[in-house]
């Protein structure tokens, strides 16, 4: 999972456990967001739409059960799969978690290897673009296996960074991405790159996509960022 990295939000108040999850998810190739309490998780969800949520039941401020309930009631978020993590092992608790809307329920202590397998399995079932070799938006087709992009049947030559940018846009058309979000997703959180670098690569991507004609598919949203369409 490189060009089509899925985003996983980890909501876990135990620092050591959270770090283990972050390490293993990154090793699997996922882009990872994290929160240490319920309020922080809700703030993330206001700004981002992850592809999957790993959600601890017992959290400070807002419980995991309440967060799950809000996610599943939200039109914008309800399709996001949720894996509930809990030390509660009774059947009643498991049923309650699933009835609240959790897609899976994992009892602590758990095997990290098994949990990663559950994450991959859920994403295979619910997020086609993670597994799909092709992404399509209007007349643009991106093939992540052959590393090829075409527009209206004509080949578009892109550099590695432009390819990753386009793939990110095509996974979630119409979503507005800030420059900071694009920096984190394309260049990585631990690498310092000036936000103006994003503008440069967006310019290159636009030029390549419009080389054979057609409207510019990338929209600049003033004071917010960029979106596809």
């Amino acid at each position: 999972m490189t060009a089509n990295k899925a985003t996983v939000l980890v909501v876990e108040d135990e620092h050591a456990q959270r770090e283990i999850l972050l390490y293993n998810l990154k090793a699997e190739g996922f882009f990872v967001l994290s929160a240490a309490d319920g309020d922080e998780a809700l703030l993330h969800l206001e700004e981002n739409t992850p592809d999957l949520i790993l959600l601890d039941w017992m959290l400070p401020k807002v419980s995991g059960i309440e967060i799950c309930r809000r996610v599943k009631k939200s039109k914008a978020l309800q399709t996001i799969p949720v894996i509930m993590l809990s030390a509660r092992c009774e059947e009643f608790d498991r049923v309650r978690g699933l009835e609240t809307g959790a897609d899976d329920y994992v009892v602590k202590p758990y095997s990290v290897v098994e949990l990663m397998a559950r994450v991959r399995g859920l994403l295979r079932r619910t997020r086609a673009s993670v597994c799909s070799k092709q992404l399509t938006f209007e007349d643009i087709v991106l093939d992540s296996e052959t590393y090829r992009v075409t527009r209206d049947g004509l080949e578009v030559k892109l550099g590695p960074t432009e390819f990753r940018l386009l793939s990110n846009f095509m996974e979630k058309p119409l979503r507005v991405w800030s420059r900071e979000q694009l920096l984190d997703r394309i260049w990585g959180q631990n690498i310092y790159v000036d936000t103006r670098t994003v503008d440069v690569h967006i310019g290159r991507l636009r030029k390549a996509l419009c080389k054979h004609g057609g409207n510019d598919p990338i929209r600049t949203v003033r004071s917010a960022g960029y979106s596809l369409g």
Side-chain angles (χ1 to χ4, degrees):
M1 240 172 266
T2 53
N4 288 338
K5 282 201 293 187
T7 299
V8 178
L9 171 60
V10 175
V11 189
E12 168 64 72
D13 63 320
E14 295 180 26
H15 176 76
Q17 192 63 45
R18 188 170 64 254
E19 289 302 308
I20 289 171
L21 290 173
L22 296 182
Y23 175 83
N24 282 276
L25 287 164
K26 288 177 182 177
E28 290 278 341
F30 296 112
F31 180 81
V32 187
L33 302 169
S34 68
D37 59 54
D39 282 350
E40 189 179 0
L42 292 172
L43 284 174
H44 268 304
L45 290 170
E46 287 180 7
E47 300 175 356
N48 302 280
T49 307
D51 298 289
L52 182 141
I53 304 172
L54 284 176
L55 181 61
D56 186 30
W57 179 314
M58 299 296 291
L59 291 170
K61 299 180 180 178
V62 183
S63 72
I65 281 286
E66 178 58 26
I67 291 172
C68 185
R69 184 178 291 113
R70 293 188 194 183
V71 166
K72 295 304 178 179
K73 284 185 176 181
S74 166
K75 289 184 179 180
L77 304 174
Q78 62 188 201
T79 59
I80 300 173
V82 176
I83 298 180
M84 185 76 72
L85 308 175
S86 176
R88 299 169 179 258
C89 58
E90 298 297 326
E91 182 181 13
F92 168 79
D93 297 312
R94 186 185 299 268
V95 170
R96 184 183 172 197
L98 294 172
E99 286 185 342
T100 302
D103 298 88
D104 200 354
Y105 189 99
V106 177
V107 176
K108 296 181 179 182
Y110 48 76
S111 159
V112 174
V113 174
E114 180 185 349
L115 180 59
M116 293 301 108
R118 288 175 183 249
V119 168
R120 292 193 301 270
L122 253 182
L123 285 170
R124 275 197 298 271
R125 295 195 298 272
T126 61
R127 182 179 178 267
S129 62
V130 171
C131 308
S132 173
K133 296 181 179 65
Q134 282 196 347
L135 295 171
T136 302
F137 176 78
E138 295 181 352
D139 59 351
I140 303 170
V141 179
L142 180 148
D143 190 312
S144 60
E145 187 173 67
T146 63
Y147 208 78
R148 187 168 181 261
V149 175
T150 60
R151 185 172 189 191
D152 197 22
L154 299 173
E155 186 170 4
V156 177
K157 294 188 180 298
L158 297 177
T161 301
E162 288 73 41
F163 185 90
R164 292 196 299 272
L165 274 169
L166 180 60
S167 177
N168 185 75
F169 283 131
M170 290 182 69
E171 286 180 9
K172 295 179 180 178
L174 306 181
R175 170 175 172 168
V176 177
W177 297 89
S178 70
R179 290 169 176 81
E180 290 75 16
Q181 289 171 330
L182 290 171
L183 281 174
D184 285 346
R185 287 183 70 90
I186 308 304
W187 282 268
Q189 291 179 305
N190 298 320
I191 298 175
Y192 175 76
V193 180
D194 192 281
T195 54
R196 287 173 294 182
T197 302
V198 176
D199 301 333
V200 172
H201 286 280
I202 290 289
R204 291 176 184 172
L205 177 58
R206 281 176 159 149
K207 184 176 179 181
L209 290 173
C210 298
K211 183 177 181 179
H212 302 297
N215 295 328
D216 182 0
I218 299 175
R219 182 168 59 99
T220 300
V221 183
R222 189 174 181 180
S223 301
Y226 299 101
S227 73
L228 183 64

